[in-house]
Amino acid sequence: MLTLAGIEPFAIGGTRRCYVHPDDDQLCVKVLRADRTARARLATATGWRRLKGRRGFDDQRKELKAYRQLERRGWRNWRHVPLCHGAVQTDLGLGIVTALHRDWRGRFPPNLEQVLPGGMTEPLAKAIEEFKKWLRRDLFLSRDLLPHNIIAVADAPERHRLVIVDGIGNSELVPVSNWFDLCARRKVERKIRKFEQRVRILLPTPADATP
Ligand SMILES: Nc1ncnc2c1ncn2[C@@H]1O[C@H](COP(=O)(O)OP(=O)(O)O)[C@@H](O)[C@H]1O
Ligand SMILES: [Mg+2]
């Protein structure tokens, strides 16, 4: 059992708290926020959502399943998605252990929602292109590619790399994209198109620059 209570999380998302693993500072442990457990969410769900049942609200279980699917596909490229080391019991509930990505100075990287409003830079533009190329080449299946779930890791001051830390796996009810490459390709294109729109929205408009 891992003790996390008393440690300050390095990031808190909409659903989870992210900690540096107490025994290995290269690893990240994610646990559900107390208000986002499957039990808490089912208790406040209304209408048809209640039909999903407790399992339908368990994001940790979904993410572990997505990682298992990658493993089954023989996935080896962990440049743009963190390597998962499985689950661990913690005093704050089930934790998912993954590689923790840091920049060249050892700092925690910002996510795209945090960096894009500061404007596009050459290293960032290159990193976005590389990321899209990778999604297409490896047919990486994800839920929506949301900027706050993608971090911009500066491996060097002028060399950035995008890593998707949340939203991995296939959201389809009938997972046709897992079975047919053509469906997967179409899905990846759809996700990229929407991702590009989100990036554009976050960038400052020329009007922001005028005093
Ligand atoms: N492996 C990681 N390496 C570095 N930063 C991470 C990692 N995983 C998550 N983060 C940071 O923590 C934030 C929240 O993580 P996330 O998995 O998106 O949680 P949630 O499920 O609450 O949305 C991310 O936006 C990112 O800034
Ligand atoms: Mg997230």
Side-chain angles (χ1 to χ4, degrees):
M1 165 86 85
L2 213 58
T3 307
L4 297 176
I7 304 176
E8 212 35 56
F10 73 87
I12 302 179
T15 309
R16 297 179 289 185
R17 298 160 72 87
C18 307
Y19 294 86
V20 177
H21 193 298
D23 303 329
D24 185 342
D25 65 5
Q26 300 299 307
L27 296 179
C28 166
V29 188
K30 295 187 194 187
V31 295
L32 285 175
R33 289 165 31 168
D35 57 330
R36 302 298 289 172
T37 60
R39 185 196 294 257
R41 287 172 70 190
L42 181 60
T44 55
T46 53
W48 63 269
R49 286 202 173 79
R50 291 199 64 78
L51 298 176
K52 292 207 294 187
R54 205 191 285 180
R55 282 172 80 83
F57 285 104
D58 192 339
D59 287 347
Q60 295 287 79
R61 195 181 58 85
K62 281 188 212 159
E63 187 161 292
L64 284 167
K65 189 173 158 205
Y67 271 114
R68 271 198 302 274
Q69 258 160 10
L70 283 180
E71 243 167 64
R72 233 173 295 141
R73 278 176 68 186
W75 200 268
R76 295 209 193 290
N77 182 355
W78 305 102
R79 187 170 157 73
H80 299 287
V81 59
L83 174 63
C84 181
H85 295 270
V88 66
Q89 277 310 326
T90 81
D91 55 348
L92 302 179
L94 184 77
I96 296 181
V97 183
T98 67
L100 172 59
H101 289 266
R102 296 175 188 259
D103 73 8
W104 58 283
R105 291 166 297 191
R107 297 197 200 162
F108 302 117
N111 61 49
L112 286 183
E113 196 169 276
Q114 294 165 324
V115 285
L116 287 171
M120 187 56 81
T121 60
E122 209 180 305
L124 197 54
K126 274 192 187 152
I128 291 176
E129 282 314 306
E130 190 203 342
F131 182 68
K132 292 193 293 193
K133 220 188 247 173
W134 165 75
L135 290 168
R136 290 184 169 119
R137 196 195 52 217
D138 287 8
L139 290 181
F140 182 79
L141 295 178
S142 65
R143 289 184 272 143
D144 285 342
L145 296 165
L146 303 177
H148 59 257
N149 288 334
I150 298 168
I151 54 175
V153 184
D155 289 323
E158 297 302 315
R159 191 160 34 84
H160 293 191
R161 168 172 56 101
L162 300 192
V163 177
I164 177 167
V165 294
D166 184 15
I168 74 161
N170 190 355
S171 51
E172 294 164 342
L173 231 44
V174 181
V176 283
S177 296
N178 291 356
W179 307 330
F180 307 111
D181 272 7
L182 183 64
C183 296
R185 254 193 289 277
R186 285 203 188 125
K187 182 171 164 153
V188 166
E189 287 309 321
R190 246 188 346 260
K191 298 288 177 195
I192 289 178
R193 248 193 331 269
K194 284 207 235 159
F195 170 62
E196 287 170 336
Q197 276 169 11
R198 293 190 186 101
V199 168
R200 271 197 299 275
I201 289 169
L202 282 169
L203 285 171
T205 58
D208 294 334
T210 50

